[in-house]
Amino acid sequence: MINSKWFQDSVVYQIYPMSFQDSNNDGIGDLNGIAQRLPYLKKLGIDVIWLNPIYKSPNKDNGYDIADYQNINPEYGTLADFDNLLKAIHQHGMKLLMDLVVNHTSDQHDWFKKSAQSRNNEYADYYIWRDPVAGREPNNWRAAFGGSAWTYVHERDQYYLHLFAPGQPDLNWENPTVRQSVFNIERFWLDKGVDGFRMDVINLISKPAGLPNVQGTPTVGKTFEIVADGHRLNEFLKQMNDEVLSHYDVMTVGEMPGSTPEDAIKYTGLQSHELNMVFQFEHVSLSPNPDTRLDKWNDKPIKLVELKRALNHWQKELDGQGWNSLYWNNHDQPRAVSRFGNDDPQYRVRAAKMLGVTLHLMQGTPFVFEGEELGMTNVHFTKLEQYEDLESINAYHELVEEKGLVEGSTMLKYLANVSRDNARTPMQWSAKVNAGFSQVKPWYAVNPNYQEINAAAELADNTSVFYFYQKLIQLRHDHEIIRYGTFVELDPQDNEVYAYKRNYKGKTILVMSNFTDKSVNRDYGIKQENKLLISNYTDDQGTKLRPYEAKAYLFE
Ligand code: TEU
Ligand code: CA
């Protein structure tokens, strides 16, 4: 049993390959483009790279619909390009996590094509097929990307389950042969030298017995609730760990929508030997629409006390019990500085740094999403045709046109506020054409603010968000108290300042972040001899915290 804990000392950088760097001028990011940017990532100081899916896929959900798990999507390159990239990542002293999407495959996967043909071939039971009930779908579950979670196939005169799009049929994890097929996929990549996996919606793989209806008006939220953290999940994860993961020195992070700290401790407990950590969703689900039929679509500001309750809940519950991932955003979430800070030009840099201090000094493994280290912002689209994500487009058509639950103009505000498209515009490398991402028109629109916000400008400015993130990462590498210290929340009801302490071996770090555009006063009893570790202002005005001011002191 290999039991090293390098994941606790690491900072991870998430790359959305399609939007990171195009190296062959087809307008699409690729593996050789990533290899070109490894020196940039090394300079930032990150330890691990997580790549969103790069496998063969029809890209109905931008790669989260996999048609061949052991081949690279030609748009990104070849298996040889992958081997070269992995070697270069290791030569730069970094590690690589792949994205393992095994709750479902693409409907173009051979397994599904065969499964859909007959009730009797070897793949018939690889997916979740059910007979019609009274000529209709087998239950009232709703799919995350719109409509029923069931689609009818004439050849079998049955429906198949898809919690996401019809092009993403759910695998039947009750079938032991499916589990062995997944384990073989993991071994294929681990034997190539990959350092671990981010596991897509892994807490959805164990479906409730009998697939019962949800109560009341069926919504996506209720469907995920009845499926998440199913009764055989521990068993499946334990088997995966025993048969595969424990034989390699790997890092694993399970994406677990709807999970609670209690669930997480079951899977990532320091004695559980299943996964190292989870991506929980409590702090990124704080402002669902009061009309639950609209699920996440809203444009309400987030209350700081609610954000603190969500994050502090996980810090306190997992302290000494499990391990947190720490993230503000990813490819499914709007950009951090727009959602939790302030992307108004006069505050953006300060607010981006403030968010960095707030999160990176907590207990857990920080994940930096591409461009977050630059303070990249939401793209503030105003028209439906500017969106490309099926989740955004389907939600607009279903909620505005089919069901008439919301005005189009209002839904466009919701999309601008929380759509995944915000995270998927090309990385902003320079003020050159297409932000230096590609020399031809990119697959997706570049954020118009790339001439002000880009890596080249920030690398030339020692007060940039980039160098501030570099310092935060360095602090984590230098101070055990940041990696292993306990967490103590301060003033949970304070709706302007986020403050907390970390304690370790007789030392204390005090962290305070003003989440407002006003100056406020807070006295945390700091003494002259306490050392200022980091601040997003060049001077220190003691108990006065200026707009978006964040700083941390070390009490030795
Ligand atoms: O997302 C899981 C998930 O819960 C999504 O529904 C996500 O929360 C939602 O899109 C936010 O609005 C994972 C992947 O990260 C996502 O990109 C995929 O679309 C999804 O699974 C299906 O594989
Ligand atoms: Ca390309």
Side-chain angles (χ1 to χ4, degrees):
M1 168 80 74
I2 293 167
N3 207 4
S4 74
K5 295 261 187 271
W6 52 265
F7 64 88
Q8 291 185 339
D9 303 332
S10 300
V11 176
V12 185
Y13 188 90
Q14 179 193 353
I15 291 177
Y16 195 69
M18 202 179 276
S19 302
F20 192 64
Q21 177 64 64
D22 175 17
S23 71
N24 61 345
N25 292 318
D26 60 0
I28 303 165
D30 48 58
L31 301 186
N32 292 333
I34 295 170
Q36 288 169 5
R37 296 295 182 179
L38 292 181
Y40 167 84
L41 297 177
K42 192 66 190 167
K43 186 181 182 70
L44 181 59
I46 57 109
D47 308 287
V48 182
I49 294 169
W50 154 31
L51 288 188
N52 288 102
I54 54 175
Y55 319 97
K56 239 188 188 116
S57 162
N59 275 343
K60 289 183 187 161
D61 183 18
N62 291 6
Y64 280 92
D65 47 323
I66 296 170
D68 180 349
Y69 286 90
Q70 298 180 194
N71 236 317
I72 303 297
N73 209 348
E75 293 176 329
Y76 296 133
T78 64
L79 273 172
D81 294 329
F82 172 81
D83 291 339
N84 292 336
L85 174 61
L86 181 59
K87 190 157 156 255
I89 288 171
H90 287 160
Q91 282 168 345
H92 280 78
M94 296 187 275
K95 292 176 183 287
L96 176 66
L97 300 187
M98 294 286 269
D99 207 321
L100 190 74
V101 187
V102 289
N103 172 68
H104 49 270
T105 72
S106 161
D107 61 350
Q108 302 307 307
H109 197 292
D110 282 349
W111 296 343
F112 186 76
K113 288 180 183 170
K114 293 188 180 113
S115 187
Q117 280 162 1
S118 139
R119 297 190 185 205
N120 304 310
N121 66 35
E122 70 171 297
Y123 294 97
D125 200 24
Y126 256 56
Y127 295 86
I128 300 170
W129 295 94
R130 291 293 184 279
D131 294 340
V133 169
R136 302 287 313 269
E137 292 83 0
N139 69 21
N140 65 359
W141 293 1
R142 307 301 292 167
F145 298 145
S148 163
W150 298 91
T151 292
Y152 180 76
V153 171
H154 188 76
E155 289 73 4
R156 290 187 57 146
D157 185 22
Q158 285 185 306
Y159 287 84
Y160 68 88
L161 177 68
H162 51 83
L163 293 176
F164 292 92
Q168 295 171 291
D170 280 55
L171 280 167
N172 173 18
W173 273 75
E174 303 292 327
N175 180 343
T177 317
V178 166
R179 300 201 293 272
Q180 289 308 322
S181 297
V182 168
F183 299 165
N184 289 335
I185 291 164
E186 291 178 325
R187 290 189 192 96
F188 174 84
W189 293 104
L190 293 172
D191 290 341
K192 277 181 165 295
V194 160
D195 302 287
F197 298 106
R198 175 264 189 187
M199 299 189 190
D200 189 61
V201 290
I202 198 68
N203 67 325
L204 302 182
I205 61 176
S206 166
K207 278 37 176 193
L211 309 183
N213 276 332
V214 298
Q215 297 307 311
T217 314
T219 63
V220 174
K222 285 183 189 170
T223 302
F224 272 46
E225 210 173 303
I226 203 170
V227 175
D229 304 297
H231 61 299
R232 295 189 69 186
L233 181 59
N234 269 101
E235 176 198 338
F236 294 158
L237 293 178
K238 191 105 190 53
Q239 184 188 3
M240 180 192 289
N241 198 289
D242 292 347
E243 295 191 21
V244 185
L245 303 175
S246 60
H247 301 276
Y248 300 85
D249 182 11
V250 291
M251 168 181 175
T252 52
V253 48
E255 188 207 23
M256 299 206 171
S259 254
T260 62
E262 296 68 35
D263 295 316
I265 289 170
K266 274 192 296 183
Y267 316 127
T268 68
L270 301 178
Q271 288 69 37
S272 77
H273 307 306
E274 287 170 23
L275 300 175
N276 296 137
M277 67 190 90
V278 304
F279 281 135
Q280 54 87 14
F281 280 59
E282 200 169 330
H283 65 302
V284 292
S285 317
L286 286 173
S287 47
N289 200 296
D291 177 349
T292 55
R293 297 170 302 175
L294 297 178
D295 280 311
K296 73 177 206 181
W297 303 106
N298 80 86
D299 61 355
K300 283 192 354 237
I302 288 167
K303 291 195 185 72
L304 180 61
V305 284
E306 289 179 18
L307 177 64
K308 287 162 62 166
R309 184 180 41 72
L311 286 172
N312 292 352
H313 179 212
W314 282 83
Q315 286 288 303
K316 291 184 290 185
E317 297 291 322
L318 265 56
D319 195 348
Q321 303 285 325
W323 195 255
N324 275 294
S325 66
L326 303 171
Y327 74 98
W328 283 128
N329 47 190
N330 56 40
H331 63 294
D332 290 336
Q333 302 296 336
R335 287 207 166 261
V337 71
S338 300
R339 184 184 213 175
F340 298 107
N342 187 330
D343 64 12
D344 179 301
Q346 67 172 317
Y347 296 118
R348 180 186 62 83
V349 171
R350 206 81 83 185
K353 293 177 179 177
M354 178 277 288
L355 292 173
V357 168
T358 307
L359 195 73
H360 279 253
L361 299 183
M362 285 185 175
Q363 184 188 93
T365 298
F367 283 70
V368 178
F369 177 61
E370 66 179 46
E372 177 190 339
E373 80 281 7
L374 301 176
M376 277 176 63
T377 70
N378 278 357
V379 65
H380 301 296
F381 285 145
T382 54
K383 298 194 291 292
L384 183 63
E385 47 274 18
Q386 291 174 295
Y387 290 91
E388 76 84 32
D389 177 16
L390 82 167
E391 180 184 66
S392 306
I393 295 163
N394 292 358
Y396 184 94
H397 291 311
E398 180 169 318
L399 300 176
V400 175
E401 293 161 356
E402 266 168 59
K403 296 183 176 169
L405 294 176
V406 61
E407 283 297 312
S409 56
T410 305
M411 187 61 187
L412 285 172
K413 284 196 201 107
Y414 293 170
L415 288 173
N417 189 43
V418 292
S419 74
R420 308 194 299 182
D421 304 77
N422 281 303
R424 301 173 178 193
T425 60
M427 180 71 176
Q428 294 164 202
W429 292 108
S430 72
K432 294 199 183 93
V433 68
N434 302 321
F437 163 74
S438 174
Q439 287 168 29
V440 302
K441 184 172 184 299
W443 73 277
Y444 200 31
V446 176
N447 192 319
N449 63 18
Y450 75 91
Q451 283 172 336
E452 296 81 52
I453 305 172
N454 64 71
E458 299 206 19
L459 288 169
D461 167 8
N462 63 13
T463 69
S464 66
V465 181
F466 176 90
Y467 287 115
F468 196 82
Y469 261 67
Q470 183 191 60
K471 180 169 181 183
L472 282 169
I473 294 167
Q474 191 55 51
L475 281 175
R476 175 169 291 270
H477 289 155
D478 293 347
H479 296 272
E480 276 194 323
I481 183 171
I482 296 174
R483 301 198 300 273
Y484 310 125
T486 59
F487 176 90
V488 180
E489 74 178 339
L490 298 175
D491 306 327
Q493 295 316 314
D494 185 338
N495 201 42
E496 293 172 318
V497 175
Y498 200 146
Y500 62 84
K501 281 183 176 173
R502 303 288 308 280
N503 296 316
Y504 191 69
K505 293 183 181 170
K507 293 183 182 178
T508 293
I509 283 185
L510 167 67
V511 181
M512 64 198 76
S513 299
N514 179 1
F515 267 70
T516 77
D517 57 3
K518 293 183 291 298
S519 285
V520 295
N521 269 290
R522 294 291 187 279
D523 185 353
Y524 295 107
I526 296 152
K527 296 186 182 56
Q528 202 56 35
E529 64 272 22
N530 298 142
K531 182 175 170 235
L532 183 63
L533 268 184
I534 190 166
S535 169
N536 62 352
Y537 277 76
T538 50
D539 63 336
D540 184 351
Q541 293 190 6
T543 57
K544 181 181 175 192
L545 292 177
R546 289 155 289 185
Y548 301 106
E549 182 161 4
K551 53 188 179 179
Y553 292 88
L554 178 61
F555 302 6
E556 311 254 16

